[in-house]
Amino acid sequence: MSKLRILIAEDEAVTAADLHDELTAQGYEVTGTARSAESALSLAVAHKADLVFMDIRLAGPADGVNAAIALHAVNIPVIFLTSHYDDQTLERAKRAKPVGYITKPFEPHHLAVAIEMGMERHRSHTMLTQRVRKLEHDLNQMKA
């Protein structure tokens, strides 16, 4: 099995570097670092990221929640990594359908757990979606 390709969307250079080093040490491939939501979207698609670690507050006009919603639409899972966990932020984050949520400062051992659980959740969701589409197609064929 190939290494997971992970993009980091984080505008704090120190946090991005720490996350990069820890993910690399754990055997993941870091495809790049984005400092804005717009950059995160383009890099995730261009580098065919399997997963994005996304800060909620990023530089620029759009934030990580907006980027995560767009990534969900193209089937790229997101784990939020943020220092924001108030009720309003959590409600907004839920709308993006992330596969995980880690608060800063992060514990290195929590990363692998969040990745493995998040990717399993993503695989299950993808498989379920495919089955529903097939059943809908089969039902339409039967009606016709």
Side-chain angles (χ1 to χ4, degrees):
M1 185 174 186
S2 62
K3 291 182 186 182
L4 277 179
R5 299 172 50 77
I6 300 175
L7 176 76
I8 298 169
E10 171 62 63
D11 60 353
E12 294 177 10
V14 172
T15 302
D18 288 347
L19 185 56
H20 178 279
D21 293 347
E22 189 56 44
L23 291 171
T24 302
Q26 290 184 23
Y28 299 106
E29 179 183 346
V30 176
T31 63
T33 302
R35 294 181 49 89
S36 69
E38 296 81 6
S39 178
L41 290 170
S42 62
L43 288 174
V45 172
H47 294 290
K48 297 180 170 104
D50 297 311
L51 175 72
V52 176
F53 267 97
M54 180 79 67
D55 188 9
I56 288 180
R57 304 273 160 83
L58 294 169
D63 68 5
V65 174
N66 300 118
I69 290 168
L71 289 170
H72 181 75
V74 295
N75 204 32
I76 298 175
V78 169
I79 295 175
F80 283 121
L81 176 64
T82 184
S83 57
H84 304 278
Y85 48 90
D86 57 274
D87 291 342
Q88 183 180 1
T89 300
L90 286 171
E91 286 305 311
R92 279 195 71 233
K94 283 193 269 185
R95 285 185 250 149
K97 297 180 176 41
V99 296
Y101 197 101
I102 298 175
T103 57
K104 295 179 199 173
F106 64 88
E107 294 290 330
H109 61 279
H110 290 164
L111 298 176
V113 171
I115 291 167
E116 294 307 313
M117 296 300 289
M119 291 306 294
E120 182 57 34
R121 179 177 180 206
H122 178 69
R123 282 188 285 273
S124 296
H125 180 266
T126 299
M127 190 167 47
L128 180 61
T129 300
Q130 290 170 346
R131 287 181 179 169
V132 167
R133 286 185 183 142
K134 182 177 182 338
L135 288 171
E136 288 172 343
H137 176 265
D138 291 350
L139 181 60
N140 288 333
Q141 292 294 91
M142 290 173 62
K143 287 180 180 178

